[in-house]
Amino acid sequence: MSDSKKSPFADLHEEAAMPYDPDAGGPGSSAAEGVRRRHEAALLALPGVTGVALGRSPIGDDAIVVYLRDASARGRVPAQIEGYPVQTTVTGEIDAY
C-alpha cells in the first residue's frame, strides 16, 4: 500500500494493555486486599454468602464487601474485619456459567 492510500490509523501506537499479575503489587495489593484474601474462605463458608470483594465505605474508606443470597445472612457477617468495615449487599444467588 502506498503512503497516499495508507490508513489514517497506521501510525497510531497504543501501549495501554497491561499484563495481569495479582501478586506483583499495584492497586490490588493494598492492606485491605490482604485482609480480604486472608478472610475470604471463612466468609464464603458462611451460609448465604455468595461473594467477597473490596469496595468503599459510605465515607470513602476501604471496605470489605460481602455479597449475600438474601438479607437473612446479614446477621452472620461481622461488622468489621481487622479494622476494615464490612459492607453487605444482597445480590441473590450468583451462578457462574
Side-chain angles (χ1 to χ4, degrees):
M1 180 183 267
S2 71
D3 284 340
S4 64
K5 296 188 185 215
K6 189 174 170 183
S7 167
F9 304 108
D11 294 326
L12 293 178
H13 180 70
E14 181 177 357
E15 294 185 20
M18 295 175 54
Y20 176 70
D21 184 358
D23 297 320
S29 67
S30 69
E33 174 65 16
V35 170
R36 183 202 59 81
R37 285 182 185 185
R38 284 192 296 279
H39 295 275
E40 183 174 34
L43 289 166
L44 288 171
L46 296 173
V49 173
T50 59
V52 180
L54 286 182
R56 297 282 179 194
S57 72
I59 59 171
D61 293 334
D62 286 340
I64 309 297
V65 180
V66 178
Y67 299 107
L68 307 173
R69 185 176 308 121
D70 58 61
S72 68
R74 200 168 262 138
R76 294 188 274 283
V77 177
Q80 65 174 307
I81 299 173
E82 293 187 34
Y84 288 97
V86 175
Q87 304 290 313
T88 56
T89 301
V90 176
T91 60
E93 189 65 39
I94 297 175
D95 292 321
Y97 290 94

